[in-house]
């Protein structure tokens, strides 16, 4: 029996990782440690909450004593650390919370793992601390060709007809960190702490940096679920700046599969970049989402294009993210499983089929927050 803590398991990506591990590894005991902030939602895990190999513990990762207690109580062998504040716009308004959770929370997890594992006779043997991070730590790539060029890489995700690369440079694991937002600065700092615990104490750590995820259960402040919900209600779609920024999109279940593979087969102290070779300008993705929602709702395709509303750009808005995940593909044989059009179709259908999930989140307090964010743009 392996006892594995997954932090942030009630959030978007964490819930997919918890579901995958609980279902795939009945011999493991998965302990989901989550504070249930605005972004944590136990409804994301309804289908597995009664499984015998699953335990939920409501706790703040910054609360070192409680975390230490969890390590001892469950005799923890491994950590997959996802808990974080994750939204760039919130980090611009409230950087302190991001430093507290992402930096101090990660440090608290590391220190508890270290103090607990050091007391065991086997010490680090069979242990693993896997930290989930973002490609945003690398900063922004230039958009050298706004029209797009033939990409140098082809994967299943990127072989769709819309796929283009918007520059010849990509994020590789050896790039220097140049974070721009308080969110990415805090994530960068947490990555450094994880590597420091390997280099200083010999803790068996792994870090991965992934591109933008999309799929079911994403909190609707992020681009894709927010826009699906706004199109459904015929509310304005706030496009930041000119909508020309480029992101590299990966279906969340492909990220969860990569995490499973790397947790079990990745090399200690290594970093792996995870991405889809699937670059899209925001405005192009928004048009695909509008057409898809319209079609599924039985509206004329493109009828809701008039909801597009250009608003003040995000401060320090990174121009382009594009991951080179060649190392992961070559060393561990991972690649995305879905073409983007399939992933978007699945995603839109999921949100439209699960309107109660969405309405539950977007009513009440969150609605007021969103209206005030929108009004300030
Ligand atoms: P999310 O905001 O949907 O979920 C975060 C979860 O962490 C929530 O359940 C929340 O309750 C929990 N949490 C927050 N603060 C906590 C605390 N102090 N103690 C315990 N739990 C706490 O985030 P997500 O999009 O699922 O991202 C998960 C991780 O993956 C983050 O570390 C993020 O940086 C990273 N990441 C996200 C993306 C993406 O596109 N969403 C891409 C690459 C990496
Ligand atoms: P987001 O989902 O916040 O992810 P990230 O900032 O981590 O990349 O945003 C994705 C892109 O969409 C980003 O370039 C900002 C842009 N965006 C908008 O244009 N309008 C919006 O309302 C949101 C939330 C994002």
């Amino acid at each position: 029996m392996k006892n594995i803590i997954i932090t942030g398991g009630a959030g978007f990506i964490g819930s997919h990782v918890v579901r995958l591990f609980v279902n795939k590894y009945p011999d493991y005991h998965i302990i989901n440690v989550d504070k249930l902030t605005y972004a944590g939602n136990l409804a994301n895990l309804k289908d597995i909450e009664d499984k015998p190999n699953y335990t939920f513990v409501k706790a703040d990762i910054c609360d070192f004593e409680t975390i230490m207690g969890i390590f001892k109580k469950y005799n923890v062998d491994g950590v997959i650390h996802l808990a974080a504040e994750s939204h760039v716009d919130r980090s611009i308004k409230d950087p302190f919370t991001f430093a507290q959770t992402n930096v101090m929370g990660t440090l608290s997890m590391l220190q508890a793992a270290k103090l607990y594992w050091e007391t065991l006779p086997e010490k680090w043997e069979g242990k693993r601390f896997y930290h989930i991070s973002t490609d945003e730590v690398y900063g922004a790539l230039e958009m050298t060709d706004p029209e797009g060029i033939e990409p140098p890489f082809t994967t299943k995700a990127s072989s769709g007809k819309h796929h283009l690369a918007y520059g010849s440079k990509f994020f590789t694991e050896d790039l220097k960190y140049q974070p721009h937002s308080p969110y990415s600065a805090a994530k960068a700092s947490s990555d450094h702490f994880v590597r420091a615990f390997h280099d200083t104490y010999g803790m068996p750590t792994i870090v991965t940096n992934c591109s933008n995820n999309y799929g079911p259960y994403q909190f609707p402040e992020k681009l894709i679920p927010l826009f699906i919900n706004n199109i459904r209600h015929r509310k304005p779609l706030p496009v930041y700046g000119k909508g020309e920024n480029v992101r590299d999109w990966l279906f969340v279940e492909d990220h969860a599969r990569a995490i499973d593979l790397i947790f079990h087969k990745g090399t200690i102290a290594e970093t792996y970049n995870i991405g889809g070779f699937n670059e899209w300008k925001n405005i192009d993705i928004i048009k695909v989402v509008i057409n898809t929602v319209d079609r599924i709702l039985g509206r004329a395709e493109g009828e809701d294009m008039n909801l597009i509303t250009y608003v003040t750009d995000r401060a320090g808005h990174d121009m382009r993210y594009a991951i080179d995940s060649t190392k992961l593909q070559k060393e561990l044989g991972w690649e995305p499983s879905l073409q983007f059009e399939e992933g978007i179709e699945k995603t839109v259908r999921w949100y439209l089929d699960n309107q109660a999930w969405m309405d539950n989140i977007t009513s009440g307090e969150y609605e007021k927050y969103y209206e005030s964010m929108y009004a300030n743009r």
Side-chain angles (χ1 to χ4, degrees):
M1 173 71 100
K2 281 203 169 194
N3 299 307
I4 297 166
I5 289 181
I6 298 181
T7 68
F12 166 46
I13 303 171
S15 63
H16 288 274
V17 178
V18 167
R19 178 175 296 101
L20 177 68
F21 273 66
V22 165
N23 287 330
K24 187 169 171 187
Y25 302 108
D27 292 349
Y28 291 2
H29 178 202
I30 302 303
I31 304 127
N32 173 11
V33 176
D34 198 296
K35 182 183 174 184
L36 298 182
T37 66
Y38 78 94
N41 184 357
L42 289 178
N44 298 358
L45 292 165
K46 269 260 157 281
D47 52 326
I48 58 104
E49 68 185 4
D50 294 327
K51 296 265 177 164
N53 63 336
Y54 171 71
T55 302
F56 173 68
V57 182
K58 185 172 187 301
D60 184 340
I61 54 167
C62 301
D63 177 355
F64 173 74
E65 296 302 329
T66 300
I67 297 297
M68 197 68 219
I70 297 171
F71 271 84
K72 288 184 187 153
K73 177 170 179 188
Y74 295 103
N75 187 17
V76 171
D77 307 295
V79 176
I80 305 178
H81 176 43
L82 295 108
E85 289 292 336
S86 67
H87 190 44
V88 174
D89 293 327
R90 285 185 191 249
S91 81
I92 294 168
K93 290 218 172 307
D94 175 20
F96 276 109
T97 305
F98 281 68
Q100 177 65 13
T101 298
N102 299 2
V103 186
M104 296 308 288
T106 299
L107 185 53
S108 156
M109 290 300 303
L110 285 163
Q111 182 72 350
K114 172 183 177 285
L115 292 187
Y116 178 63
W117 289 339
E118 273 182 348
T119 63
L120 303 175
E122 73 272 20
K123 224 182 159 203
W124 308 121
E125 193 57 43
K127 307 291 182 285
R128 190 155 287 204
F129 191 107
Y130 177 5
H131 176 63
I132 308 299
S133 192
T134 166
D135 61 353
E136 304 190 23
V137 297
Y138 295 118
L141 293 164
E142 279 184 7
M143 183 141 108
T144 48
D145 193 339
E147 296 311 311
I149 49 176
E150 275 304 307
F153 315 100
T154 312
T155 67
K156 177 136 190 179
S158 69
S159 53
K161 57 184 182 305
H162 297 289
H163 179 68
L164 292 169
Y166 292 97
S168 52
K169 296 219 169 91
F170 298 84
F171 293 142
T172 48
E173 289 82 359
D174 55 354
L175 268 195
K176 134 174 153 199
Y177 275 27
Q178 283 187 301
H180 295 134
S181 72
Y183 162 65
S184 54
K187 289 297 291 187
S189 171
S190 67
D191 296 9
H192 290 317
F193 269 108
V194 174
R195 295 194 182 99
F197 267 63
H198 171 268
D199 297 349
T200 308
Y201 309 111
M203 182 182 282
T205 60
I206 295 190
V207 177
T208 57
N209 299 86
C210 188
S211 62
N212 286 60
N213 284 214
Y214 70 98
Y217 300 111
Q218 186 166 30
F219 194 85
E221 65 190 346
K222 304 279 169 59
L223 181 75
I224 291 181
L226 171 67
F227 278 32
I228 293 171
N229 196 40
N230 282 9
I231 299 164
R232 177 183 148 220
H233 292 293
R234 295 219 153 101
K235 282 164 65 171
L237 307 176
V239 180
Y240 299 168
K242 295 185 182 151
E244 296 273 300
N245 303 65
V246 170
R247 298 290 181 265
D248 175 0
W249 293 92
L250 181 67
F251 190 61
V252 62
E253 289 176 14
D254 281 330
H255 188 189
R257 260 194 322 109
I259 290 172
D260 175 20
L261 186 66
I262 294 163
F263 182 73
H264 291 97
K265 305 251 169 70
T267 305
I268 296 298
E270 287 293 318
T271 297
Y272 298 90
N273 283 352
I274 311 171
F277 292 129
N278 183 40
E279 290 177 54
W280 285 73
K281 282 186 196 171
N282 290 342
I283 192 66
D284 291 337
I285 226 172
I286 289 162
K287 288 178 182 162
V288 172
V289 172
I290 293 172
N291 282 332
T292 311
V293 176
D294 281 347
R295 176 167 45 75
I296 295 174
L297 289 181
R299 301 175 185 170
E301 238 177 75
E303 187 181 328
D304 287 311
M305 289 294 170
N306 62 349
L307 296 176
I308 292 177
T309 309
Y310 291 95
V311 296
T312 312
D313 208 353
R314 174 186 278 172
H317 197 175
D318 286 336
M319 195 61 217
R320 171 175 171 250
Y321 302 145
I323 279 263
D324 179 350
S325 56
T326 307
K327 174 175 170 182
L328 178 59
Q329 298 192 4
K330 283 204 172 133
E331 287 186 17
L332 299 179
W334 174 91
E335 58 165 74
S337 68
L338 282 182
Q339 284 198 3
F340 189 62
E341 288 77 0
E342 297 172 73
I344 281 291
E345 178 84 21
K346 262 178 104 158
T347 302
V348 171
R349 280 192 188 280
W350 187 88
Y351 286 102
L352 296 178
D353 287 347
N354 288 277
Q355 294 185 3
W357 180 91
M358 180 65 90
D359 293 345
N360 215 7
I361 296 175
T362 50
S363 59
E365 279 310 301
Y366 177 69
E367 192 172 16
K368 281 187 236 150
Y369 167 83
Y370 177 70
E371 295 304 336
S372 76
M373 287 289 276
Y374 184 72
N376 283 330
R377 286 210 161 265

